[in-house]
Amino acid sequence: MGNITRLESSDLSQNKLSGEIPSELAQLSFLSVLNLSYNKLEGRIPSRPQFLTFLENSFEGTVGLCGPPMSKLCCNITDKFDLPREGLDSEDGFDWVLFAVSFFGFVVGASVVIGPQYFWKKGRDWANERINRILCNN
């Protein structure tokens, strides 16, 4: 179908099609009407511009599809690839790695901004002068 470059509409509903929507279909720039409803397709709907113009009923009854324009916007990647989850989160759901990286980032950022203000008199005077200009001119 990818070779039919001037294809404007296609009704492939109720054909027991399975698998993902072929990338060749997403490359058909003239395609303005597409009906893939009631098939066994799965995966993310291509996010090409013409696919974003199709209505949700173009994919009705095809429960394995997700992404715009469907109401099921997010695909569960782990269903398809079965990624291991150990080590990502602790049992209580708190991500210690994210916390540690965020805390470290805050400390470094705060020390870069506040450190010169606290320890360097000339830097403190310069910053105070700039802040006073901003506040007094408005």
Coordinates of all heavy atoms in Angstrom, one line a residue, residues 28-78:
L28 N 1.7 8.1 3.6 CA 0.8 8.5 2.5 C 0.3 9.9 2.8 O -0.7 10.0 3.6 CB -0.3 7.5 2.3 CG 0.1 6.0 2.0 CD1 -1.1 5.1 2.0 CD2 0.9 6.0 0.6
S29 N 0.8 10.9 2.2 CA 0.4 12.3 2.5 C -0.9 12.7 1.9 O -1.5 13.6 2.4 CB 1.5 13.2 1.9 OG 1.7 13.1 0.5
F30 N -1.5 12.0 0.9 CA -2.8 12.3 0.4 C -3.9 11.7 1.1 O -5.1 12.0 0.9 CB -2.8 11.9 -1.1 CG -2.1 12.8 -2.0 CD1 -0.8 12.5 -2.4 CD2 -2.6 14.0 -2.5 CE1 -0.1 13.4 -3.2 CE2 -1.9 14.9 -3.3 CZ -0.6 14.5 -3.7
L31 N -3.6 10.8 2.0 CA -4.6 10.0 2.7 C -5.4 10.9 3.6 O -4.9 11.5 4.6 CB -4.0 8.9 3.5 CG -4.9 7.8 4.1 CD1 -5.6 7.1 3.0 CD2 -4.1 6.8 4.9
S32 N -6.7 11.1 3.3 CA -7.6 12.0 4.1 C -8.6 11.2 4.9 O -9.2 11.8 5.9 CB -8.2 13.1 3.2 OG -9.0 12.5 2.3
V33 N -9.0 10.0 4.5 CA -9.9 9.2 5.2 C -9.4 7.8 5.3 O -8.9 7.2 4.4 CB -11.3 9.1 4.4 CG1 -12.3 8.2 5.1 CG2 -11.9 10.5 4.2
L34 N -9.4 7.3 6.6 CA -8.9 6.0 6.9 C -9.7 5.4 7.9 O -10.0 6.0 8.9 CB -7.4 6.0 7.3 CG -6.8 4.7 7.7 CD1 -6.6 3.8 6.5 CD2 -5.4 4.9 8.4
N35 N -10.2 4.2 7.7 CA -11.1 3.5 8.6 C -10.4 2.1 9.0 O -10.3 1.2 8.1 CB -12.5 3.3 8.1 CG -13.4 2.7 9.1 OD1 -13.0 2.4 10.2 ND2 -14.7 2.6 8.8
L36 N -9.9 2.0 10.2 CA -9.2 0.8 10.6 C -10.0 0.2 11.8 O -9.5 -0.7 12.5 CB -7.8 1.1 11.1 CG -6.8 1.5 10.0 CD1 -5.5 2.0 10.7 CD2 -6.6 0.4 9.0
S37 N -11.3 0.5 11.9 CA -12.1 0.1 13.0 C -12.3 -1.4 13.0 O -12.3 -2.1 11.9 CB -13.4 0.8 13.1 OG -14.1 0.6 11.9
Y38 N -12.5 -2.0 14.2 CA -12.8 -3.4 14.4 C -11.8 -4.4 13.7 O -12.2 -5.2 12.9 CB -14.3 -3.7 13.9 CG -15.3 -2.9 14.7 CD1 -15.8 -1.8 14.1 CD2 -15.6 -3.2 16.0 CE1 -16.7 -1.0 14.8 CE2 -16.5 -2.4 16.7 CZ -17.1 -1.3 16.1 OH -17.9 -0.6 16.8
N39 N -10.6 -4.1 14.0 CA -9.5 -5.0 13.6 C -8.7 -5.4 14.9 O -9.1 -5.1 16.0 CB -8.5 -4.3 12.7 CG -9.1 -4.3 11.2 OD1 -9.2 -5.3 10.6 ND2 -9.4 -3.1 10.7
K40 N -7.7 -6.2 14.7 CA -6.9 -6.6 15.9 C -5.5 -5.9 15.9 O -4.5 -6.5 16.3 CB -6.7 -8.1 15.8 CG -8.0 -8.9 15.9 CD -7.8 -10.4 15.8 CE -9.1 -11.1 15.8 NZ -9.0 -12.5 15.7
L41 N -5.5 -4.7 15.5 CA -4.2 -3.9 15.5 C -3.9 -3.5 16.9 O -4.7 -3.5 17.8 CB -4.4 -2.7 14.6 CG -4.7 -2.9 13.1 CD1 -5.1 -1.7 12.4 CD2 -3.4 -3.5 12.5
E42 N -2.6 -3.3 17.1 CA -2.1 -2.9 18.4 C -0.9 -1.9 18.3 O -0.3 -1.8 17.2 CB -1.6 -4.1 19.2 CG -0.5 -4.9 18.5 CD -0.2 -6.2 19.2 OE1 -1.0 -6.7 20.0 OE2 0.9 -6.7 19.0
G43 N -0.6 -1.3 19.4 CA 0.5 -0.3 19.4 C 0.1 1.1 19.3 O -1.1 1.4 19.3
R44 N 1.0 2.0 19.1 CA 0.8 3.4 19.0 C 0.4 3.8 17.6 O 1.0 3.3 16.6 CB 2.0 4.2 19.4 CG 1.9 5.7 19.4 CD 3.0 6.4 20.0 NE 3.2 6.1 21.4 CZ 2.5 6.7 22.3 NH1 1.5 7.6 22.0 NH2 2.7 6.4 23.6
I45 N -0.6 4.6 17.5 CA -1.1 5.2 16.2 C 0.0 6.2 15.8 O 0.5 7.0 16.5 CB -2.4 5.9 16.4 CG1 -3.5 4.9 16.8 CG2 -2.8 6.6 15.1 CD1 -4.8 5.5 17.1
P46 N 0.5 6.1 14.5 CA 1.5 7.0 14.0 C 1.1 8.4 14.3 O 0.0 8.8 14.1 CB 1.6 6.7 12.5 CG 1.1 5.3 12.4 CD 0.1 5.1 13.5
S47 N 2.1 9.3 14.6 CA 1.8 10.7 14.9 C 2.1 11.6 13.7 O 2.5 12.7 13.9 CB 2.6 11.1 16.2 OG 4.0 10.9 16.0
R48 N 2.0 11.1 12.6 CA 2.2 11.9 11.3 C 1.0 12.8 11.2 O -0.1 12.5 11.7 CB 2.2 10.9 10.1 CG 3.3 9.9 10.2 CD 4.7 10.5 10.0 NE 4.8 10.9 8.7 CZ 5.9 11.1 8.1 NH1 7.0 10.9 8.7 NH2 6.0 11.5 6.8
P49 N 1.2 14.0 10.5 CA 0.1 15.0 10.5 C -1.2 14.5 10.0 O -2.3 14.8 10.5 CB 0.7 16.0 9.5 CG 2.2 15.9 9.6 CD 2.4 14.4 9.9
Q50 N -1.2 13.7 8.9 CA -2.5 13.2 8.4 C -3.2 12.3 9.4 O -4.4 12.2 9.4 CB -2.4 12.6 7.0 CG -1.7 11.3 6.9 CD -0.2 11.4 6.8 OE1 0.4 12.4 7.1 NE2 0.4 10.3 6.4
F51 N -2.5 11.5 10.2 CA -3.1 10.6 11.2 C -3.8 11.4 12.3 O -4.7 11.0 12.9 CB -2.1 9.6 11.7 CG -2.1 8.3 10.9 CD1 -1.4 8.3 9.7 CD2 -2.7 7.2 11.4 CE1 -1.4 7.1 9.0 CE2 -2.7 6.0 10.7 CZ -2.0 6.0 9.5
L52 N -3.3 12.6 12.6 CA -3.8 13.4 13.6 C -5.2 14.0 13.2 O -5.9 14.5 14.0 CB -2.9 14.5 14.0 CG -1.5 14.0 14.6 CD1 -0.6 15.2 14.9 CD2 -1.8 13.3 15.9
T53 N -5.5 14.0 11.9 CA -6.8 14.5 11.4 C -7.9 13.5 11.5 O -9.0 13.9 11.3 CB -6.6 15.1 10.0 OG1 -6.3 14.0 9.1 CG2 -5.6 16.1 9.9
F54 N -7.5 12.2 11.6 CA -8.6 11.2 11.6 C -9.3 11.2 13.0 O -8.8 11.5 14.0 CB -8.0 9.8 11.4 CG -7.2 9.6 10.2 CD1 -6.1 8.9 10.1 CD2 -7.6 10.3 9.0 CE1 -5.4 8.7 8.9 CE2 -7.0 10.1 7.8 CZ -5.8 9.3 7.8
L55 N -10.6 10.9 12.9 CA -11.5 10.9 14.1 C -11.2 9.6 14.9 O -10.8 8.6 14.3 CB -12.9 11.1 13.7 CG -13.3 12.3 13.0 CD1 -14.7 12.3 12.5 CD2 -13.0 13.6 13.8
E56 N -11.6 9.6 16.1 CA -11.5 8.4 17.0 C -12.3 7.2 16.4 O -11.8 6.1 16.5 CB -11.9 8.7 18.4 CG -11.6 7.6 19.4 CD -11.9 8.0 20.8 OE1 -12.3 9.1 21.1 OE2 -11.8 7.1 21.7
N57 N -13.4 7.5 15.8 CA -14.2 6.4 15.3 C -13.5 5.7 14.1 O -13.9 4.6 13.7 CB -15.6 6.8 14.9 CG -15.6 7.8 13.8 OD1 -14.6 8.2 13.2 ND2 -16.8 8.3 13.4
S58 N -12.4 6.2 13.6 CA -11.7 5.5 12.5 C -10.9 4.3 13.1 O -10.5 3.4 12.4 CB -10.6 6.5 11.9 OG -11.2 7.6 11.3
F59 N -10.8 4.3 14.4 CA -10.1 3.2 15.1 C -11.0 2.5 16.1 O -10.5 1.7 16.9 CB -8.9 3.8 15.8 CG -8.0 4.6 14.9 CD1 -8.1 6.0 15.0 CD2 -7.1 4.0 14.1 CE1 -7.3 6.8 14.1 CE2 -6.3 4.8 13.2 CZ -6.4 6.2 13.3
E60 N -12.3 2.7 16.0 CA -13.2 2.2 17.0 C -13.2 0.6 17.0 O -13.1 0.0 15.9 CB -14.6 2.7 16.6 CG -15.7 2.3 17.5 CD -17.1 2.9 17.0 OE1 -17.4 2.9 15.8 OE2 -17.7 3.5 17.9
G61 N -13.3 0.1 18.1 CA -13.3 -1.4 18.2 C -12.0 -2.1 18.1 O -11.9 -3.3 18.1
T62 N -10.9 -1.3 17.9 CA -9.6 -1.8 17.8 C -8.9 -1.5 19.2 O -8.2 -0.5 19.3 CB -8.8 -1.2 16.7 OG1 -9.6 -1.4 15.5 CG2 -7.5 -1.9 16.4
V63 N -9.1 -2.3 20.2 CA -8.7 -2.0 21.5 C -7.2 -2.0 21.8 O -6.8 -1.4 22.8 CB -9.4 -3.0 22.5 CG1 -10.9 -2.8 22.5 CG2 -9.0 -4.4 22.2
G64 N -6.4 -2.5 20.9 CA -5.0 -2.6 21.1 C -4.3 -1.3 20.7 O -3.1 -1.2 20.9
L65 N -5.0 -0.4 20.1 CA -4.3 0.9 19.6 C -4.4 1.9 20.7 O -5.3 1.9 21.5 CB -5.0 1.4 18.3 CG -4.8 0.6 17.1 CD1 -5.6 1.2 15.9 CD2 -3.3 0.5 16.7
C66 N -3.4 2.8 20.7 CA -3.4 3.9 21.6 C -2.7 5.1 21.0 O -2.1 5.0 19.9 CB -2.7 3.5 22.9 SG -1.0 3.1 22.6
G67 N -2.9 6.3 21.6 CA -2.3 7.5 21.1 C -3.4 8.4 20.4 O -4.5 7.9 20.1
P68 N -3.1 9.6 20.2 CA -4.1 10.5 19.5 C -4.5 9.9 18.2 O -3.6 9.4 17.5 CB -3.3 11.8 19.4 CG -2.2 11.8 20.3 CD -1.9 10.3 20.5
P69 N -5.7 10.0 17.8 CA -6.8 10.7 18.4 C -7.7 9.8 19.3 O -8.8 10.3 19.7 CB -7.7 11.0 17.1 CG -7.5 9.8 16.2 CD -6.0 9.5 16.5
M70 N -7.2 8.7 19.8 CA -7.9 7.8 20.7 C -8.0 8.4 22.1 O -7.1 9.2 22.4 CB -7.3 6.4 20.8 CG -7.1 5.7 19.5 SD -8.5 4.7 19.0 CE -8.6 3.6 20.3
S71 N -9.0 8.0 22.8 CA -9.1 8.5 24.2 C -8.0 7.8 25.1 O -7.6 8.4 26.1 CB -10.5 8.3 24.8 OG -10.8 6.9 24.7
K72 N -7.5 6.6 24.7 CA -6.4 6.0 25.3 C -5.2 6.5 24.7 O -4.7 6.1 23.7 CB -6.5 4.5 25.1 CG -5.4 3.7 25.8 CD -5.6 2.2 25.5 CE -4.4 1.4 26.1 NZ -4.4 0.0 25.7
L73 N -4.6 7.6 25.4 CA -3.5 8.3 24.8 C -2.1 7.6 25.0 O -1.3 7.7 24.2 CB -3.4 9.7 25.4 CG -4.7 10.6 25.1 CD1 -4.5 11.9 25.7 CD2 -4.8 10.7 23.6
C74 N -2.0 6.9 26.1 CA -0.6 6.4 26.4 C -0.6 4.9 26.2 O -1.6 4.2 26.7 CB -0.3 6.7 27.9 SG -0.1 8.4 28.1
C75 N 0.4 4.4 25.6 CA 0.6 2.9 25.4 C 1.5 2.5 26.6 O 2.4 3.2 27.0 CB 1.3 2.6 24.1 SG 0.3 3.0 22.7
N76 N 1.2 1.3 27.0 CA 2.0 0.7 28.1 C 3.2 0.0 27.4 O 3.0 -1.1 26.9 CB 1.2 -0.2 29.0 CG 1.9 -0.7 30.2 OD1 3.1 -0.4 30.4 ND2 1.3 -1.4 31.0
I77 N 4.4 0.6 27.4 CA 5.5 0.0 26.8 C 5.9 -1.3 27.4 O 6.4 -2.2 26.7 CB 6.7 1.0 26.8 CG1 6.3 2.3 26.0 CG2 8.0 0.4 26.2 CD1 7.3 3.4 26.2
T78 N 5.7 -1.5 28.7 CA 6.2 -2.7 29.3 C 5.4 -3.9 28.8 O 5.8 -5.0 28.9 CB 6.1 -2.6 30.8 OG1 4.8 -2.3 31.2 CG2 7.1 -1.5 31.3

